[in-house]
Amino acid sequence: MKILIHENMVVSNVLVADTFTKRFMGYMFRKKPHYKVIIIKPCNSIHTFFMKFSIDVLFINENMEVIKKIEDLPPGKIIMPVKKSKMVLESKVGLFKNIEVGSKIIIQETQTKQGTVHNFYD
C-alpha cells in the first residue's frame, strides 16, 4: 500500500493508476470516491466526464512539487495539458486544502515486513 505525505504528515492511502484499465476508470461511473486519492501516472491532463461528483486535483512535476491545484472540479470538464506535469493526484473535495502550489509531496510504500519504507517516485 502507498501513502501520500505532506509536511511530514500522512494525508491518505492512495491507489496508483499506472495501468491502462486503472487510468481509464479512475473515479468514472462511481457515485462516490472508492479511494481517497488516486495517482494517475504518467499524466498531464484530465477530464471529469462520466463522474458523478466533484474532485480536487494536484498536478505534480518530476521533483514531486505541486505545479497546479484545482479545487472542486465538477463533472464534465476537461483540463488541458499542464506543462511539466508527470502525474496527477485526484481526491474527494477538501482533502488537499492544506497543500498549495509549490509544496512538495512524498508518495511512499508503507512499512514492509522488514520494517523499511520505499520511495515511490524515482
Side-chain angles (χ1 to χ4, degrees):
M1 178 175 43
K2 293 178 177 35
I3 54 174
L4 168 62
I5 300 171
H6 175 251
E7 295 183 350
N8 297 318
M9 299 289 294
V10 174
V11 176
S12 177
N13 294 334
V14 299
L15 169 68
V16 178
D18 57 358
T19 67
F20 175 79
T21 303
K22 287 179 184 176
R23 287 169 43 91
F24 177 76
M25 290 303 293
Y27 285 135
M28 289 192 319
F29 308 111
R30 298 183 181 277
K31 292 180 182 176
K32 61 181 183 177
H34 62 305
Y35 279 87
K36 286 186 180 179
V37 177
I38 296 178
I39 298 173
I40 304 169
K41 177 184 173 226
C43 186
N44 68 354
S45 66
I46 62 165
H47 69 82
T48 57
F49 297 136
F50 310 108
M51 292 178 60
K52 300 181 185 318
F53 50 88
S54 295
I55 59 172
D56 284 353
V57 182
L58 301 176
F59 289 85
I60 309 298
N61 68 12
E62 65 186 11
N63 298 317
M64 298 302 290
E65 296 169 329
V66 177
I67 57 174
K68 182 174 181 128
K69 177 180 178 179
I70 302 170
E71 295 179 278
D72 204 13
L73 181 65
K77 300 294 182 182
I78 297 174
I79 303 300
M80 299 305 286
V82 174
K83 188 176 180 178
K84 298 188 179 184
S85 177
K86 299 297 181 188
M87 71 175 74
V88 172
L89 280 66
E90 299 179 346
S91 79
K92 65 180 186 171
V93 171
L95 190 66
F96 298 150
K97 66 183 175 192
N98 295 323
I99 301 175
E100 299 299 330
V101 171
S103 295
K104 286 195 109 174
I105 62 163
I106 298 169
I107 306 296
Q108 288 185 336
E109 290 281 351
T110 56
Q111 290 188 348
T112 64
K113 291 178 184 176
Q114 291 79 21
T116 59
V117 175
H118 302 278
N119 285 332
F120 167 70
Y121 194 78
D122 292 317

